[in-house]
Amino acid sequence: MHLLKGILFGIAAQVLTFFQLQGQMKIEWFKNHPVLVAFLGVPVSLLFMASVRNFIAAYDGQIWPSRLIGFGIGTIVFTIMSYYMFKEPLNTKTLVCLGLGICIILIQLIWK
């Protein structure tokens, strides 16, 4: 249960982070209200903290799995969001990085 909660909190935090940082390029309101967008960092930080807390609980106090799974989630979310919001092409380099992110997550989930 902790692992699933860590993943879900991590995905939510990464999606919000994407909007917070890249939203100004696509959404005029974000561009015109940078201070309000910056305040989005508070709930995003709380989501990241909840994600890490749950990963650490799932891995008996180890902190490295939370960092590596979080990195993998961030890579996957960024790839998906940039593809759909900005029509960024999935070139070979991007696909290799996406594959590496997935491999990192799978290593953490399978190799205990």
Side-chain angles (χ1 to χ4, degrees):
M1 183 55 94
H2 286 293
L3 188 58
L4 178 61
K5 285 170 40 175
I7 290 169
L8 293 175
F9 284 132
I11 291 170
Q14 290 290 349
V15 168
L16 290 174
T17 298
F18 184 90
F19 279 112
Q20 184 186 27
L21 301 177
Q22 274 57 258
Q24 62 184 322
M25 308 307 167
K26 195 78 162 167
I27 303 167
E28 197 65 28
W29 188 89
F30 279 56
K31 185 177 184 178
N32 295 331
H33 299 89
V35 174
L36 293 175
V37 173
F39 281 114
L40 182 61
V42 173
V44 169
S45 294
L46 293 171
L47 284 169
F48 276 124
M49 291 165 65
S51 177
V52 168
R53 188 172 40 255
N54 278 282
F55 284 135
I56 290 172
Y59 285 91
D60 300 322
Q62 294 181 44
I63 61 171
W64 266 110
S66 69
R67 178 66 189 114
L68 295 170
I69 294 171
F71 171 79
I73 290 171
T75 301
I76 293 166
V77 167
F78 191 91
T79 301
I80 292 168
M81 297 291 291
S82 63
Y83 177 77
Y84 283 108
M85 280 195 68
F86 293 96
K87 307 300 182 224
E88 290 267 340
L90 296 176
N91 58 29
T92 304
K93 181 172 71 173
T94 302
L95 290 171
V96 168
C97 291
L98 179 61
L100 289 170
I102 291 168
C103 285
I104 288 170
I105 291 173
L106 291 174
I107 289 168
Q108 293 304 310
L109 294 178
I110 295 169
W111 190 348
K112 293 216 177 190

